[in-house]
Every structure is written in C-alpha cells, then in structure tokens.
Amino acid sequence: MSASPTQADRPLDDDERRLAELGYKQELRRKWSGFSNFAISFSIISILAGCFTTFGQAWMNGGPIAISWGWPLISIFILIIGFCMSELVSAYPTAGGIYWWAAKMGKPVHGWFTGWLNLVGLIAVTASVDYGCATFLSLVLDAYSSWDSGNLNLTFLLFVLILAAHVAINIWGHNIIDVLQNVSVWWHVAGAAVVVLILVFVPEKHQSLSFVFTERFNNSGYSDATYWFLVLPFGFLLTQYTITGFDACAHVSEETKGASTAAAKGLWQSIFYSAIGGWILLLAFLFAATDVEAITAANGFSGAIFETALSAGFFKAVILISTIGQFFCGMSCVTSMSRMTYAFSRDRAVPGWRLWSKVDRNGTPVNAIIGAAIAGLVLTLPALYKSPSGAPTAFYAVVSVAVIGLYLAFLIPIYLRLRMGDRFVPGPWTLGSKYKVLGWIAVVEIIVVSIYFIMPFTPTAIPGNKDFTFTAVNYAPIAILIVIGGAAAWWFMSAKHWFTGPIRTIDEAPESATAKATE
C-alpha cells in the first residue's frame, strides 16, 4: 500500500532523520520503547538459559571457583566490551549494527568479515538457546509423563518444534513481539528470584563458604598441572556464553524510539543487570550442590543439583521456570538474528539477498526469519550424536561458535574505533577520552577468549590420542574456519569487485532535500 501524500510529505522525526543521514529510509516499524530495546538483549543474555544449560562446562572445568570467582571477573570484561559498543550504537543506530559500524569506520572488507562473523554467531546462539530449551523441556515432559529425556532424537524433535514456534511468533506476532520482550524481562527477574528462594530455603543442607569460593575440580581429562592456564579458562565459557547477544540492542535500533540514547543505555544495562542477577543465581546453585558425586556423574548438568537437593515438586517448578525463560530467550534470539540477516542482505552481502531483504506489509522480514532459522537447525545436526563420556560436546561446540563468532565480530569495530581516534564523531552517549583504555582491554580479552574456545575441551578430542573420537571434537574452529574461509574466498574471487559496504536506500540526506526545496 503506497503512502498517502500526507504521510509522504510529513516532516521526519529525529529517529527517521538520523536514519536518513546514515542512508536508509524507515522500513521497519519504529514502535519499540527504550525498555523494550533493553528487554531484547536482557532476554537474549537470559540468566535462566545460559546459567542452567552451560553450568556443567564450568563445574567440570574448574569447579566452584570457575563460577563464584570466574563469573564476576569475566562479567567485568564483558561490561567493558559493552561500554565500547554502546558508544558505537549511539553514533550509528542501524539494524546492521556492528557490520555497519565496521564498514563506516574502516573499509568494505572490514564490514564484509564483521557481517559474516556476526551472522554466524547470531545463528549459533539462536540454535544453542533453542536446543538448550529443548533439553529442559524434555526434563519437564519426563517429570510429568513417560517421556524419555535421554533420547537425543526426541530432544532434537523438540528443538525443531521450538525453533518453528519462534519463527511463527516473529512472523505473525509482529504486533506483540515488543510486549513479549517486556514480559520476558519480568519473567526472568521474578523467575530467578523464585529459584534462588527455593534453593535457599528448601534443601535440608547447604555447602560451606569454603566449598563455594575455594573448591577446585578438574574433570577435563587434562593433567592438574594445566589447571590454571588451560582447564579453568575452559570453565569461563559459562559466563562468556551467557552474557552475549547484547548486540541485539543495535539490531532493533531502527525499531526503537530515541535509538541514539535508548539503544546505547539498553546495551550496557542489559549486561550489568544480568551479571548481578546471574551471580546471585549461580551462587544459589553452588550452595545447593551438596551431592557432588551425582552432579559430576551427570557431567555437571544443573538439573542434577535440583534433582538431588529438592523434592519432586520443587524440582519440577525450577525446571519449568527455566524452560519458559529459555523459550523467551530463543524468541528474542530469532528477532535479533533475522534483523541482522535482513540488514546484511539489504546491502547485498548474502546470497539471494533480494529474498532475505524483503519485508511484508507489516514491516516484518519474513524470509530472513525463516532462512536464518533453517541455518541454525543445520548447524545443530551434530547434537544428534552423543560423546562417549555422555557430555553434550556438540552443544558446547555450538555454544563456542556463538561466542567466537559474536565476539570476533565485536572486535573489529572496537579496534577500528580505536584506530580512528579523534576522527570519530560520537553520538549523545560517549566514553570520552576513556575509549582508549577500555577499547584496548576489550580487544585483548576477545583475542584471548577466542583462542581458548577453539581448543579441544578434552584430550580425547585431539587427533593422535589413543582414545580419540570424533564425537568429542569441539567443531567450533571448523565451523568458524568454514565461515571465515568461505567469506575470504568469496571476497577475493568476486565480492571485492562489487561490494562497497552499506548501500543507501534513500537518495539524499534530509538536509540536502530541505536545502533544495528552499532554493
């Protein structure tokens, strides 16, 4: 339906004017509040998802100190990364987010690789969240019926159904998606509080302060001599994975009112409040983890804590609270992933870009939602196979892909901003002169994290080891290399000749149009 003369001639508001200055016309509906913008990143971070599904990674690799000390330590580094990105989204509030920033501050090649890393990271984080949700939903069904939660085929079926449900909500629930994001925030706050209270008052006994803050475990298979520089850092994947996806604030900035300020605040605040809430929640886990042998036998799965410390009724309540929170998280992930797919396709960087960059009459990128969800399903296929130890190696591999893809994508624009120095024109939310020290801390942290999470988590994943098995392999580096290698090959063989970065969808900035009208 074409705009009426009155609609077409009306003056642009501040958000539309800024978007036009960046080269885009307003196609997505701008009806999200600042709280809704904060809510999507808070929901994607989701302490009811990551804290529950990747707890075992820290328990087995480092033990309690990887959680009680590792969580706040790594959270500080992530918050610094968030501050750097808040400054950038304030200056460039577009759906392309970090890809657009990299292309603007650097060259088309920077935007190209940033976009692909960000896209695969968002696809992986969506897949991992929905698979984690399927795992917990299996436990819920097992608790209330004769469902077999140990059957990987049934878990994968639930994963497909959950992913399909999130696609449907994002396509047909366009009028309420922002409201659901708001509901998600309150579910996470209230749900986490209820879980903490249950774990504080229901168990008959609790662990000591000494256990929670000084106990060390090494169930990785590596020697104890490697604990501090290899095993313990593996446990930090819990924090690094849980507190990620906060770039969603940027991806929905074209749908947010007052985006230059609201998206910047929403980004760092989603990290800050999640870090505090997540630490309290995880400490409650550790104090309730009295049956250490049973939890370790379950590869550190958080469900074993609740099963051994709580009665059947309270166990069901905790699992159900987490499952619903994870469902909200996956819904938000699909929203963010689809907006990035839409924006990157709008600039013709994705094969079949005409298909993925279309929006329907409601301003919803339907094809981008469906296509990116299918990609996430394919990435998760190895989860159909269990490692000999019973550990969810394939799940942790998808988690690693998400962390590496997203954080490497964050690295590029943060570094480019450092390189620009005083040539950078900030938005209303800025770090001022502190950008230098914070930027370099962020760059170093991301490099270190990315190196650790492409390493084999267990000796049985190392080729040449007498117990080597493919099902134990961390295939994150393989997936990342395929993405980077494919993007590089396409760049040098073709894209460098035609990809020029963001393509303007509006002929001229509003100032130019006004000047012409007054001549």
Side-chain angles (χ1 to χ4, degrees):
M1 177 177 167
S2 60
S4 67
T6 303
Q7 292 173 313
D9 295 338
R10 69 171 175 81
L12 301 179
D13 61 28
D14 290 341
D15 287 311
E16 292 172 326
R17 185 178 300 105
R18 180 56 183 146
L19 188 60
E21 290 170 356
L22 298 175
Y24 298 116
K25 61 183 177 181
Q26 188 73 51
E27 292 183 304
L28 301 174
R29 286 191 174 184
R30 193 179 292 273
K31 68 186 189 74
W32 289 43
S33 66
F35 183 80
S36 296
N37 183 281
F38 156 82
I40 187 171
S41 282
F42 186 80
S43 297
I44 290 176
I45 292 173
S46 183
I47 58 176
L48 291 178
C51 290
F52 284 74
T53 59
T54 51
F55 179 87
Q57 175 71 9
W59 179 272
M60 302 296 281
N61 296 277
I65 70 167
I67 302 163
S68 58
W69 292 107
W71 179 276
L73 174 65
I74 301 302
S75 293
I76 291 171
F77 285 112
I78 297 173
L79 184 59
I80 290 172
I81 295 170
F83 284 145
C84 296
M85 293 177 62
S86 287
E87 182 178 53
L88 294 173
V89 73
S90 180
Y92 311 123
T94 71
I98 53 181
Y99 142 71
W100 201 99
W101 309 341
K104 174 70 175 179
M105 295 184 293
K107 298 178 181 179
V109 66
H110 296 116
W112 177 264
F113 281 98
T114 300
W116 278 107
L117 286 166
N118 189 211
L119 187 56
V120 73
L122 289 171
I123 289 172
V125 79
T126 301
S128 61
V129 167
D130 276 6
Y131 189 82
C133 183
T135 301
F136 271 72
L137 182 56
S138 273
L139 286 179
V140 172
L141 294 174
D142 202 344
Y144 286 95
S145 67
S146 58
W147 183 273
D148 181 8
S149 60
N151 188 317
L152 291 182
N153 292 327
L154 290 177
T155 301
F156 197 86
L157 174 62
L158 287 179
F159 162 65
V160 174
L161 294 175
I162 291 168
L163 192 60
H166 288 149
V167 167
I169 290 171
N170 273 271
I171 292 175
W172 290 293
H174 58 90
N175 286 326
I176 60 169
I177 194 74
D178 56 327
V179 176
L180 292 175
Q181 304 291 356
N182 298 348
V183 172
S184 175
V185 170
W186 298 114
W187 181 268
H188 278 79
V189 172
V194 169
V195 171
V196 169
L197 291 173
I198 288 174
L199 293 177
V200 168
F201 292 107
V202 174
E204 296 180 357
K205 58 180 180 177
H206 290 88
Q207 287 286 8
S208 65
L209 281 170
S210 175
F211 174 86
V212 171
F213 289 100
T214 66
E215 191 70 27
R216 293 180 289 166
F217 297 158
N218 177 12
N219 297 296
S220 65
Y222 290 105
S223 71
D224 288 340
T226 66
Y227 178 85
W228 292 104
F229 67 88
L230 182 65
V231 178
L232 181 61
F234 284 160
F236 294 159
L237 180 61
L238 163 65
T239 315
Q240 203 78 48
Y241 165 68
T242 301
I243 309 180
T244 194
F246 42 82
D247 55 317
C249 288
H251 295 309
V252 297
S253 59
E254 288 187 28
E255 299 164 75
T256 302
K257 300 172 183 176
S260 291
T261 300
K265 290 182 178 179
L267 197 152
W268 76 261
Q269 288 176 353
S270 66
I271 298 172
F272 179 77
Y273 290 115
S274 295
I276 294 174
W279 195 41
I280 295 171
L281 183 64
L282 287 169
L283 289 177
F285 285 12
L286 290 174
F287 278 111
T290 52
D291 195 338
V292 173
E293 290 185 4
I295 298 166
T296 301
N299 290 292
F301 180 52
S302 63
I305 298 175
F306 316 133
E307 193 169 19
T308 56
L310 303 174
S311 63
F314 282 110
F315 167 75
K316 293 176 184 178
V318 169
I319 294 297
L320 185 60
I321 289 169
S322 174
T323 302
I324 295 173
Q326 292 178 51
F327 187 85
F328 276 125
C329 175
M331 175 193 71
S332 301
C333 287
V334 171
T335 305
S336 179
M337 171 183 68
S338 64
R339 269 45 174 189
M340 171 55 194
T341 304
Y342 157 78
F344 205 32
S345 299
R346 179 174 61 182
D347 294 324
R348 305 179 185 179
V350 181
W353 61 269
R354 289 184 178 85
L355 181 65
W356 316 123
S357 60
K358 285 183 178 179
V359 297
D360 67 8
R361 59 194 178 99
N362 297 311
T364 304
V366 174
N367 296 334
I369 293 170
I370 296 173
I374 292 173
L377 190 156
V378 172
L379 181 64
T380 317
L381 286 174
L384 287 166
Y385 304 93
K386 182 177 290 188
S387 67
S389 68
T393 306
F395 171 74
Y396 289 142
V398 177
V399 166
S400 296
V401 171
V403 170
I404 297 168
L406 288 175
Y407 279 96
L408 283 180
F410 300 165
L411 169 68
I412 297 173
I414 291 174
Y415 170 73
L416 291 173
R417 191 271 176 265
L418 284 168
R419 194 178 69 169
M420 282 189 74
D422 294 337
R423 292 183 292 116
F424 176 79
V425 180
W429 197 98
T430 177
L431 293 174
S433 61
K434 295 186 287 292
Y435 81 89
K436 291 182 180 179
V437 62
L438 295 179
W440 281 115
I441 291 173
V443 165
V444 172
E445 199 269 351
I446 292 172
I447 292 173
V448 171
V449 162
S450 299
I451 292 172
Y452 271 108
F453 295 157
I454 62 173
M455 297 174 70
F457 292 141
T458 173
T460 59
I462 302 175
N465 185 291
K466 62 183 179 66
D467 297 318
F468 172 78
T469 172
F470 278 106
T471 55
V473 170
N474 173 12
Y475 66 87
I478 300 172
I480 293 296
L481 283 175
I482 289 174
V483 172
I484 294 178
W490 190 11
W491 173 261
F492 288 109
M493 289 190 297
S494 174
K496 71 175 183 179
H497 301 297
W498 51 264
F499 182 75
T500 58
I503 297 174
R504 298 181 69 91
T505 61
I506 196 166
D507 293 333
E508 54 192 350
E511 289 82 357
S512 301
T514 303
K516 286 186 179 181
T518 57
E519 288 178 355

